[in-house]
Amino acid sequence: MLDSGIDDDNVLASESSGAKIPVTAVVLDEDVAILIQKIEAIGRFEITLMSHDAMTPETSVGIVLFNIRMVDAFEDLTRIRAWRSARPLQPIIAISGNDDEDFMLEAFKSGATNYHSPMIPAPVLSEVLQSYYRMSEAPRMVEIQNAEMIRSMQSEREATEARLAAEGAMAVAEAQALANERTKEILDNLTEGFLIVEKNLVLADVVSKACIDIFGHDIASQPLGDILSLQPGREAYLRDGLDQLFEDFMPLEVNVSLLPTRVLTADGRTLSLAYHPILDASNAPEKVIIAAMDITAEVKDKAHLESLRAASEALLRILSEREAFEEFLGDTKRDIELLRTTDDVALGKRYLHTLKGNCSVMGLSEIATLIHEIENEYESSSSIAALYAYADMIDKAFEDFLEKNKKILGIDWHSTDLHVTFSSHDLEKISDFVRTAEGEGKAEALRILEETKLRTVHSMLSGFDEIAHQLGEKFGKAIEFQLVGGDLKLDPAVYGPLLKSLVHALRNACDHGIEDPEERERLGKAATGIITFKFEPQDDGLLKVTLSDSGRGIQIKKVLAKALANNIVSESEVDGLRVKDVLHLVFHDGLSTADAISETSGRGVGMACIRQEVEALGGSIRIASKAHKGTVFELNVPFSQSA
């Protein structure tokens, strides 16, 4: 397809002679307009400005810089799609402040050749524009020369078809050779890696020199197999996607969208891939140009910044909830010591799982990841002897964290007293003194001291709302955590272990219970799932703790199938099981309905931790669950606000 109104015959020659590169800029946002001014100041470009409403692809020239606006983003994607349909060979560089990966993918699906932030330095954008300009003119030159040849053949066909056919074949060969020579000359001066894939999935004999740096060897004229040195399976995935594109079974934009835009190499580098199909006269894919860039440094920088952001948020949370954090450290020391001394494999798994969950609640993601890796290792060995070494590793991780942030937190891991006011030991000595004292005010002093030991449920479950929010983002779900009775005061020495174990119920509800927003809406439910923890003292001397969610409910058949597979129940016992018996199997060690182990769930020890703490208090558990309505766990334990 030929573009009208453009002098194509001399475009490459004019560039080499110093002529400015034409750029059509569709711009509205101020920061993008400033970027355009900087580009114009470089002096290498002749820039034509268009408004979004008055854009005319048919008369635009050179490279297109298209500003995707934040408010009218999807309308602009439609404009790009129409532009691509009118000008299939013209490079379109999208400029937008939206860094969401899904949105960027939509931009590429719509026809954008590349995508950049308005923050891209003007010299870098200048190089990108020059590279794409050179790259876009080579295939167009072939197209123009072929079209000229066809016009010549048609005008002389009546004279002698045989002579024209011979001359036409020679002209095609010469034009192709000339185009290949010019293409190679252009490609060798590009910093990006460019390669052309033919219909038979063999690379063309012309590739850019940068490909050798990116892929480690010359890939020209090679079949697309394992020559790109990608991680196992990724090159086969790329090959299958290109094969499907050339079959032209689905729309072109759909086929292009299925191709991988980011891949990992065997040596651990990250590559960005962009695809530019070349169409034949019937608009079917004939070749595909792949532009490759090594973005390893960019990815590492982004990951480092994300790590710093998470660490800063964790420190801010600790500083704002210092008392809860110091209580957490005390519980952690106790759990690490239990890990050192236990001789029970199942208990070892519970201690590890609880430590990981509580670290996640406090935002200590690096320590949580370490414990997850320890869990994976312990799962395969289950060696009691290894627990002591694991306890030392976790102990060292906490020591390093507190030492690294000593100036901010001022906490010494090896201190026996993590409280700023009174340690529990000092408080107990004061209580003993008051009990033996005589005189007016003794009873009131004892009451105040006893109350000093108490903490609100809200403070002991600090961070649960944040962990629900984080897991919701991770799973693509809308989740709201609600705490009822958070002002109730409890003795952490008595109820602390139980409350800390409830993180497992929260994580399970986020992972297994709450559905995706789309599924919830199909069922006529609100898109946001609700998880509620409710604490209520009862007249009969019990504390009722209700854990409920508005999710899909416990899948009875799946629980029973897992129990049979793990030999928790036998086939002969199945007929005698009631529904409530099957529901209570979720508290059994090693039973999980997750299909794979993750940092969130899958080991089958979380709910067992809750059962253990309830039984340690002499309490009981009831479960109710209904498909598509949700699940309720009711924990009843003896209630006392005194130590």
Side-chain angles (χ1 to χ4, degrees), residues 46-67:
E46 182 177 347
I47 297 179
T48 302
L49 294 176
M50 287 187 181
S51 69
H52 288 74
D53 294 330
M55 50 169 272
T56 53
E58 291 76 9
T59 60
S60 66
V61 295
I63 310 297
V64 177
L65 278 178
F66 194 102
N67 174 200

Side-chain angles (χ1 to χ4, degrees), residues 430-501:
I430 295 172
S431 298
D432 290 341
F433 174 78
V434 174
R435 288 191 188 98
T436 59
E438 297 294 338
E440 187 178 353
K442 174 181 177 179
E444 180 65 10
L446 281 173
R447 184 191 67 77
I448 293 172
L449 285 171
E450 291 295 334
E451 192 167 303
T452 304
K453 299 178 182 180
L454 304 181
R455 287 183 55 201
T456 64
V457 170
H458 181 273
S459 68
M460 286 193 279
L461 297 187
S462 172
F464 273 42
D465 54 347
E466 178 64 22
I467 203 71
H469 175 71
Q470 290 177 357
L471 290 176
E473 286 191 339
K474 177 179 179 181
F475 300 136
K477 302 176 181 180
I479 301 175
E480 180 183 341
F481 174 74
Q482 297 179 347
L483 177 60
V484 180
D487 293 334
L488 178 66
K489 290 187 175 181
L490 299 173
D491 185 350
V494 177
Y495 297 99
L498 171 62
L499 267 64
K500 294 298 182 184
S501 73

Side-chain angles (χ1 to χ4, degrees), residues 313-374:
E313 288 183 355
L315 287 174
L316 287 173
R317 187 187 310 165
I318 290 170
L319 290 171
S320 64
E321 301 173 354
R322 187 181 181 88
E323 183 183 356
F325 181 68
E326 290 177 344
E327 183 69 28
F328 158 74
L329 290 180
D331 292 343
T332 299
K333 277 192 168 185
R334 180 204 65 187
D335 290 342
I336 291 175
E337 192 56 34
L338 289 171
L339 193 63
R340 280 196 178 98
T341 56
T342 186
D343 58 357
D344 187 313
V345 170
L347 277 178
K349 291 181 179 180
R350 291 180 197 168
Y351 294 146
L352 286 170
H353 209 56
T354 298
L355 280 166
K356 181 179 75 174
N358 291 337
C359 286
S360 296
V361 170
M362 281 295 165
L364 304 181
S365 56
E366 290 187 4
I367 300 180
T369 299
L370 168 67
I371 300 174
H372 180 68
E373 293 169 354
I374 288 173

Side-chain angles (χ1 to χ4, degrees), residues 1 88-89 252 277-287:
M1 177 179 180
L89 294 178
L252 180 63
I278 298 175
L279 308 181
D280 60 17
S282 62
N283 285 329
E286 186 175 39
K287 300 178 182 180

